[in-house]
C-alpha cells in the first residue's frame, strides 16, 4: 500500500545532462558501426566486385600519369635537374603516409578513406575537416589533370590532322583562353563510365593503365637516346628550397594510392586486399616517376622546360626529329590521363557517399541506384562541378591547392593510426605499420614540412576553403549528424501531483 503522506515522487528518473559543445564536436563513430554500415546507402547498397588486381589498378590509375604527363613542366623550373630528388622526397612522404593508410584500410575497410579513419579516432569535427580536405584533394585534382589532358589532346590533333582546338576553347582564363572545353569533355566521359558501375569502370581503367605504362616505357627508350650528362652539371641550381618547393607541387602526383581505400565497400576482401593494393601501387608508381623524370631532364636542359603540360611529347619530338613518336606518345597520354580522371573522380564520389551516410552532407550523395549499384546523383553532381572547375581555373593554381589538401589529410592519417593503436590495441589488423609510432611521426613531420614549402597564395586559398567548410559544418552537418540523432535527448522531468 502506498504511503499517502509520502512526498511526491518523480514519474521518471532524471536524465543525464545533454553533452556540451566540446563533447559533441569530439564524438567518435565506433569502428564496429562504421564496418557494419559498409555499402549501405539510400535506397540500395554498393556491390562488392573488386579484387586485389582491380584495386591495385585503381590506385595506379589514380596516381600514375599526373606528375609525369602533366606537372613535370611546372616542377622542373622550380628544382632544375634535382626534380628527380623532388620525386624521391615526395615519394618518401607518400610512403610514410601509405603505411598508415594500409594499416587503417585493413582495420576499417570502408569507403570514407581518411575521413572515416578520423571519425573513428579523433572525433566528428576533425573528421569533417579531413573530409573537407579530401573534397579539395580529389575534386580539384580531377580538374587539374583534366587541364593537362586538353594539352595532350591538342598535341594529338596537331600530329594527326594538323588542326588544334583554338586557345580560346582549350585554355582557362588567365592562360590565354576563355573556356577549357577539352577539360570539361574528359570529366563528362569519366562520368559516363562511372554511371555504368564499379566493375565496368575498373575494367576500362585496367586497359588505360596498361596503355600508360607502355607509353612511359616507350618514352624512356626514346628519351635515353638524347640523354646528355651535361644537363645534370648544375644539379641543384635553386638549392634545397627549390627541391622542396617542387616536391610539394609533385606530391599532388601521389594522391592516387589512397584511391584504393575509397573502394573499401566495393572490395571482395577489403581487409586483406586494400593494404596490399596501396603498397604495391606506390612502389610501382614511384619507380616509374623517378626513372622517367631522370630521362626527361637528361634529354632536355632544365631551363628549356617552359611550363608546358605536354612536356614528354615535346621531348620525344626533339630527340627523334620526327612528329610520329611524339604524336604516338600524345595519344597514349590522352588515354592515360583519362584514367586518372576516372579513378580520382570515383574516389571523390565514394568519400562524399560516406559523409552523406553520416548525415554531414545532403542525402542525395548517398542515394544508390538499384540497377547499377552506384551513387548516380552523386556522380553527376561531382562530375559537373569538377568539369566546370577544370574549364575555368589554370593548372598551376589547381595543383598547389590539391597538394595542400592532400598533405593535411595525410598528416591526420598518421595521427589516426597512433590513436587507434592506443585506444583499440586488441583490434585485428591485417597490416601493421613497422616501428610505430616512429614512422607515423616521420610521415606527419614530412607532411607539415612540405606544406610549409607551398606559397602564401596557396595557404590563403586553403584558409578560405577551410573557413567555408566550417561554416557549412556548423550550419548543416553538426545539426544533422546521425551520431547527434542517436544521442538521447534529456527529457523534461515531470512530477506526479
Amino acid at each position: 500500500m502506498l504511503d499517502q503522506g509520502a512526498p511526491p515522487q518523480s514519474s521518471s528518473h532524471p536524465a543525464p545532462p545533454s553533452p556540451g559543445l566540446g563533447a559533441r564536436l569530439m564524438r567518435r563513430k565506433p569502428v564496429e558501426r562504421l564496418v557494419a554500415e559498409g555499402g549501405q546507402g539510400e535506397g540500395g547498397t554498393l556491390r562488392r566486385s573488386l579484387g586485389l588486381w582491380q584495386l591495385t589498378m585503381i590506385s595506379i590509375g589514380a596516381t600514375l600519369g599526373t606528375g609525369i604527363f602533366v606537372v613535370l613542366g611546372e616542377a622542373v623550373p622550380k628544382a632544375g635537374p634535382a626534380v628527380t630528388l623532388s620525386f624521391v622526397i615526395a615519394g618518401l612522404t607518400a610512403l610514410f603516409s601509405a603505411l598508415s593508410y594500409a594499416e587503417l584500410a585493413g582495420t576499417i575497410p570502408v569507403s570514407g578513406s581518411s575521413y572515416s579513419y578520423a571519425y573513428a579516432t579523433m572525433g566528428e569535427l576533425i573528421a569533417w575537416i579531413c573530409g573537407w580536405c579530401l573534397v579539395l584533394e580529389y575534386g580539384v585534382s580531377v580538374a587539374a589533370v583534366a587541364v593537362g589532358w586538353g594539352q595532350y589532346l591538342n598535341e594529338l590533333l596537331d600530329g594527326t590532322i594538323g588542326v588544334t582546338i583554338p586557345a580560346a576553347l582549350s585554355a582557362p582564363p588567365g592562360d590565354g583562353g576563355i573556356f577549357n572545353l577539352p577539360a570539361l569533355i574528359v570529366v563528362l566521359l569519366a562520368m559516363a563510365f562511372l554511371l555504368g558501375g564499379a566493375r565496368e569502370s575498373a575494367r576500362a581503367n585496367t586497359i588505360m593503365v596498361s596503355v600508360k605504362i607502355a607509353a612511359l616505357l616507350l618514352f624512356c627508350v626514346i628519351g635515353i637516346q638524347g640523354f646528355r650528362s651535361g644537363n645534370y652539371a648544375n644539379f641543384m641550381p635553386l638549392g634545397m628550397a627549390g627541391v622542396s618547393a617542387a616536391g610539394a607541387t609533385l606530391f599532388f602526383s601521389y594522391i592516387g594510392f589512397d584511391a584504393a581505400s575509397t573502394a573499401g565497400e566495393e572490395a571482395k576482401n577489403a581487409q586483406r586486399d586494400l593494404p596490399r593494393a596501396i603498397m604495391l601501387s606506390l612502389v610501382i608508381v614511384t619507380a616509374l616517376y623517378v626513372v622517367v623524370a631522370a630521362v626527361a631532364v637528361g634529354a632536355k636542359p632544365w631551363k628549356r622546360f617552359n611550363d608546358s603540360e605536354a612536356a614528354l611529347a615535346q621531348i620525344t619530338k626533339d630527340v627523334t626529329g620526327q612528329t610520329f613518336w611524339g604524336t604516338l606518345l600524345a595519344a597514349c597520354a590522352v588515354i592515360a590521363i583519362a584514367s586518372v580522371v576516372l579513378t580520382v573522380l570515383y574516389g571523390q564520389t565514394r568519400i562524399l557517399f560516406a559523409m552523406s551516410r553520416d548525415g554531414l552532407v545532403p542525402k542525395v550523395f548517398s542515394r544508390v541506384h538499384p540497377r547499377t549499384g552506384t551513387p548516380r546523383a552523386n556522380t553527376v553532381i561531382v562530375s559537373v562541378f569538377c568539369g566546370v572547375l577544370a574549364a575555368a581555373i589554370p593548372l598551376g593554381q589547381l595543383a598547389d591547392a590539391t597538394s595542400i589538401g592532400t598533405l593535411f589529410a595525410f598528416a591526420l592519417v598518421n595521427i589516426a593510426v597512433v590513436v587507434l593503436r592506443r585506444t583499440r590495441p586488441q583490434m585485428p589488423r591485417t597490416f601493421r605499420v613497422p616501428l610505430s609510432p616512429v614512422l607515423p611521426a616521420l610521415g606527419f613531420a614530412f607532411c607539415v614540412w612540405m606544406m610549409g614549402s607551398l606559397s602564401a597564395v596557396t595557404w590563403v586559398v586553403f584558409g578560405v576553403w577551410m573557413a567555408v567548410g566550417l561554416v557549412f559544418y556548423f550550419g548543416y552537418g553538426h545539426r544533422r549528424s546521425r551520431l547527434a540523432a542517436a544521442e538521447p535527448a534529456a527529457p523534461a522531468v515531470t512530477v506526479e501531483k
Side-chain angles (χ1 to χ4, degrees), residues 75-114:
V76 172
K78 295 180 180 180
V83 71
T84 52
L85 184 56
S86 299
F87 270 113
V88 172
I89 292 173
L92 281 175
T93 305
L95 175 61
F96 290 134
S97 298
L99 292 170
S100 295
Y101 261 101
E103 177 169 328
L104 292 172
T107 309
I108 314 174
V110 293
S111 287
S113 186
S114 52

Side-chain angles (χ1 to χ4, degrees), residues 210-462:
S210 300
V211 170
K212 82 167 73 177
I213 292 176
L216 291 175
L217 293 177
L218 173 64
F219 170 80
C220 290
V221 171
I222 295 174
I224 199 71
Q225 300 174 35
F227 191 92
R228 299 290 183 272
S229 59
N231 290 338
Y232 280 92
N234 187 10
F235 182 70
M236 201 179 294
L238 302 175
M240 197 62 197
V243 173
S244 62
T249 296
L250 290 171
F251 191 78
F252 155 79
S253 312
Y254 286 90
I255 69 169
F257 75 80
D258 64 326
S261 69
T262 67
E265 295 172 23
E266 290 162 285
K268 295 177 182 177
N269 190 339
Q271 288 184 305
R272 182 196 67 188
D273 292 341
L274 286 179
R276 296 179 180 180
I278 289 170
M279 299 308 301
L280 182 60
S281 63
L282 185 62
V283 170
I284 293 172
V285 165
T286 302
L288 280 170
Y289 274 166
V290 173
V291 171
V292 173
V295 172
V297 176
K300 183 175 183 177
W302 72 273
K303 290 184 179 180
R304 290 177 53 196
F305 281 79
N306 55 359
D307 290 351
S308 169
E309 285 85 27
L312 297 191
Q314 291 183 353
I315 291 172
T316 305
K317 286 182 182 180
D318 292 342
V319 170
T320 62
Q322 302 175 6
T323 61
F324 171 77
W325 294 108
T327 301
L328 178 61
L329 187 68
C332 293
V334 166
I335 297 172
I337 297 173
S339 76
V340 180
V341 175
L342 173 67
T343 48
V344 176
L345 192 64
Y346 167 85
Q348 173 69 98
T349 60
R350 270 42 179 188
I351 289 165
L352 284 172
F353 176 87
M355 297 177 72
S356 173
R357 185 173 56 204
D358 291 333
L360 302 185
V361 297
K363 289 184 178 180
V364 66
F365 290 100
S366 58
R367 192 173 299 152
V368 177
H369 192 271
R371 182 176 60 84
T372 61
T374 60
R376 176 170 288 188
N378 178 346
T379 302
V380 172
I381 293 170
V382 171
S383 300
V384 172
F385 172 79
C386 292
V388 172
L389 196 66
I393 300 180
L395 171 64
Q397 297 175 21
L398 289 171
D400 283 348
T402 302
S403 291
I404 196 167
T406 304
L407 288 163
F408 191 87
F410 284 11
L412 291 178
V413 168
N414 284 294
I415 296 173
V417 75
V418 176
V419 172
L420 195 62
R421 284 273 192 103
R422 296 292 180 87
T423 58
R424 302 292 300 274
Q426 302 304 320
M427 284 193 67
R429 291 167 169 82
T430 55
F431 177 86
R432 299 178 71 90
V433 179
L435 302 177
S436 180
V438 175
L439 292 188
L442 286 173
F444 176 83
F446 267 72
C447 289
V448 172
W449 173 54
M450 296 191 74
M451 287 177 71
S453 300
L454 293 169
S455 67
V457 173
T458 302
W459 275 97
V460 170
V461 171
F462 182 65

